[in-house]
Amino acid sequence: TQLLEQSPQFLSIQEGENLTVYCNSSSVFSSLQWYRQEPGEGPVLLVTVVTGGEVKKLKRLTFQFGDARKDSSLHITAAQPGDTGLYLCAGAGAGSYQLTFGKGTKLSVIP
Amino acid sequence: DSGVTQTPKHLITATGQRVTLRCSPRSGDLSVYWYQQSLDQGLQFLIQYYNGEERAKGNILERFSAQQFPDLHSELNLSSLELGDSALYFCASSVGGIGNTIYFGEGSWLTVV
């Protein structure tokens, strides 16, 4: 069973601060996705990374896939209250139809 | 709005009962996925259907079953319900399988009392 560990589990920061959340596994994934989930809604895909070492930027969000494709990080610059939510990483093994999700990092950005 | 429609949004039922959750995928999507989200287990993959056929099975209990109909909508049947089945159940859809973006519905909150 492929497991994804996300850290920290909870994060509360002030508006304008920077933060990084992590997604780690002992397994290799063919691709890794990051989702954001807001209360009362389903997860929404933010980005997919597929190449070891890949870095993708989405406005103030920077996503990195580890060289060995076992881990990933999400860095948010100058966090805003609108960034508040549950951030989930999910990995797909080679040839697998299943996405394995981490338990998420619950981010609160305080105005 | 993801385009994935789930009903009901909330459901309260007693232990031992049976419920059916329904899902209409996005127009054009052939794959339907069911996930269970609980506080302690996170988001767990249950099952996937593609164009009416079961494609992948995850941590789905034998008390649970699902199907995808010719019009591509799907139902998740949960029977002999236990307190521990209380969770948020998500349906998601995609054009194909892994590699395609998966779109989640808003979920069905099931509370078993």
Side-chain angles (χ1 to χ4, degrees), chain A residues 3-82:
Chain A
L3 295 175
L4 282 165
E5 302 278 348
Q6 289 191 245
S7 61
Q9 190 176 354
F10 299 97
L11 188 56
S12 182
I13 62 170
Q14 293 291 132
E15 181 176 1
E17 292 184 353
N18 301 332
L19 67 113
T20 302
V21 297
Y22 301 92
C23 175
N24 295 296
S25 176
S26 58
S27 302
V28 176
F29 291 96
S30 60
S31 66
L32 198 137
Q33 301 179 340
W34 283 92
Y35 291 78
R36 189 175 83 184
Q37 184 180 10
E38 298 187 34
E41 298 182 10
V44 175
L45 179 66
L46 296 174
V47 77
T48 300
V49 286
V50 296
T51 305
E54 182 176 2
V55 177
K56 280 192 174 179
K57 291 193 174 185
L58 186 66
K59 296 184 181 178
R60 295 176 293 101
L61 278 60
T62 301
F63 305 85
Q64 185 163 8
F65 201 12
D67 291 340
R69 290 186 287 131
K70 292 182 179 181
D71 54 81
S72 181
S73 64
L74 159 59
H75 181 80
I76 301 179
T77 304
Q80 300 177 0

Side-chain angles (χ1 to χ4, degrees), chain B residues 2-4 24-30 72 93-95:
Chain B
S2 67
V4 179
S24 293
R26 291 188 330 143
S27 177
D29 284 358
L30 298 179
L72 301 178
S93 73
S94 67
V95 171

Side-chain angles (χ1 to χ4, degrees), chain B residues 9-45:
Chain B
K9 290 194 184 306
H10 297 91
L11 189 58
I12 300 175
T13 191
T15 54
Q17 294 298 304
R18 172 191 170 96
V19 298
T20 297
L21 309 181
R22 296 175 177 81
C23 170
S24 293
R26 291 188 330 143
S27 177
D29 284 358
L30 298 179
S31 275
V32 169
Y33 310 79
W34 286 98
Y35 285 85
Q36 178 193 57
Q37 188 175 40
S38 60
L39 286 175
D40 56 341
Q41 294 294 322
L43 202 59
Q44 298 282 314
F45 169 73

Side-chain angles (χ1 to χ4, degrees), chain A residues 1 9 30-31 33 35 37 40-45 48 86 88 91-93 95-104, chain B residues 33 35 37 39-45 48 55-58 88 90 97-107 109:
Chain A
T1 303
Q9 190 176 354
S30 60
S31 66
Q33 301 179 340
Y35 291 78
Q37 184 180 10
E41 298 182 10
V44 175
L45 179 66
T48 300
L86 179 67
L88 296 159
S96 172
Y97 293 103
Q98 298 184 31
L99 273 180
T100 299
F101 278 83
K103 292 186 178 181
Chain B
Y33 310 79
Y35 285 85
Q37 188 175 40
L39 286 175
D40 56 341
Q41 294 294 322
L43 202 59
Q44 298 282 314
F45 169 73
Q48 179 202 358
R55 172 160 281 187
K57 189 177 273 192
L88 188 54
F90 283 106
I98 290 293
N100 299 126
T101 299
I102 297 176
Y103 296 87
F104 283 81
E106 294 185 347
W109 271 106

